Amino acid sequence: MIIAVDGPTASGKGTISKRLAAHFDLPFLDTGMLYRAVGWTVKQQGGNPDDENDAVKGCVFDDGLLDDAALRSEGIGSYASKVSVHPSVRTALDKRQRDFANQAKGAVLDGRDIGTVIAPNADAKLFVIASPEARAVRRFEEMISRGEDVNFDDVLADILKRDDRDQNRATAPLKPAEDADLLDTTELTIDAAVQQAIALVNAKLSRRRDKDPA
Ligand code: DC
């Protein structure tokens, strides 16, 4: 079974995906970390993330980097969003994600183009959204709790900028697959959002079983 979870930054898709993976006992891949590793590597190399030649040089990195908490910063999120615009970067990361999705045990993947590009045949697809303001509040509180000195308006502006870049790029933009179920977490606690996600996946699986009983 493959579960594809897509959505914008701070929509709750990461937590929902991890909890879905635990619930259905499936391996989990946060594909944003791959783009973050590229962004981080480009930064370390002094490259320009907007330049495709520089960006693609960041696609060779040590897997140990994927566990580095430094990749989770907002600054690296913005580098990741910039490098992810380039088709050659997306191609370089494509096989790894498809192989993960198609492993025998099944998988949960979260990202921006999982339901549309990486796993178009996924058994269940969720598109997780929340209002920009609700996402900015979550991100702001997370950053404050890490002791960062941030301003709410800057956090909201960064979120809007990242949404715009991720949704409007030419290659594999952030958008719901035609057969995705929408989950709006604006007014939901994380537990309520997870319960709704599980219910949506179960409903999709039973609809598929009714259509194809074999
Ligand atoms: O999910 P995240 O915030 O860690 O992702 C960081 C950036 O990486 C995001 O703004 C766009 C890019 N990304 C992508 O283009 N495709 C994916 N499947 C995952 C992330």
Side-chain angles (χ1 to χ4, degrees):
M1 162 157 84
I2 304 173
I3 304 178
V5 183
D6 291 300
T9 188
S11 57
K13 68 181 166 32
T15 310
I16 289 171
S17 304
K18 261 180 246 143
R19 301 262 299 263
L20 282 173
H23 180 85
F24 291 102
D25 195 20
L26 294 168
F28 166 62
L29 181 65
D30 172 355
T31 64
M33 288 307 273
L34 301 175
Y35 289 93
R36 284 170 182 267
V38 177
W40 169 269
T41 306
V42 170
K43 184 165 188 244
Q44 295 307 110
Q45 292 171 344
N48 173 3
D50 294 320
D51 179 286
E52 184 153 16
N53 287 327
D54 281 5
V56 82
K57 287 186 197 136
C59 292
V60 181
F61 54 82
D62 193 296
D63 274 9
L65 184 58
L66 297 170
D67 300 320
D68 191 331
L71 262 59
R72 298 196 176 273
S73 75
E74 274 312 289
I76 297 301
S78 163
Y79 261 81
S81 173
K82 289 179 180 171
V83 298
S84 72
V85 164
H86 306 300
S88 53
V89 169
R90 305 201 72 83
T91 302
L93 300 179
D94 185 283
K95 182 175 184 311
R96 179 179 188 145
Q97 297 174 78
R98 286 182 200 264
D99 286 349
F100 192 92
N102 293 314
Q103 64 187 298
K105 279 188 277 186
V108 178
L109 292 89
D110 93 51
R112 302 291 188 289
D113 62 341
I114 307 304
T116 50
V117 175
I118 299 296
N121 297 325
D123 300 275
K125 298 180 185 177
L126 298 181
F127 196 79
V128 184
I129 55 166
S131 72
E133 291 72 20
R135 292 187 284 129
V137 168
R138 291 173 193 164
R139 187 50 49 83
F140 177 73
E141 287 175 352
E142 202 180 289
M143 292 168 88
I144 292 288
S145 75
R146 285 202 298 254
E148 293 176 38
D149 181 19
V150 278
N151 167 293
F152 179 80
D153 291 341
D154 291 343
V155 174
L156 178 58
D158 279 352
I159 281 185
L160 293 173
K161 221 187 289 168
R162 190 121 81 90
D163 283 357
D164 181 55
R165 195 184 299 114
D166 293 351
Q167 285 164 354
N168 294 311
R169 65 183 177 221
T171 310
L174 167 67
K175 64 170 185 195
E178 271 175 25
D179 52 348
D181 287 309
L182 212 63
L183 175 52
D184 186 342
T185 67
T186 306
E187 306 283 345
L188 299 178
T189 62
I190 192 63
D191 282 338
V194 169
Q195 288 318 310
Q196 284 204 18
I198 292 171
L200 286 168
V201 171
N202 279 330
K204 178 58 78 63
L205 294 178
S206 78
R207 282 201 301 276
R208 284 176 78 101
R209 269 196 299 268
D210 288 347
K211 249 175 73 186
D212 181 14

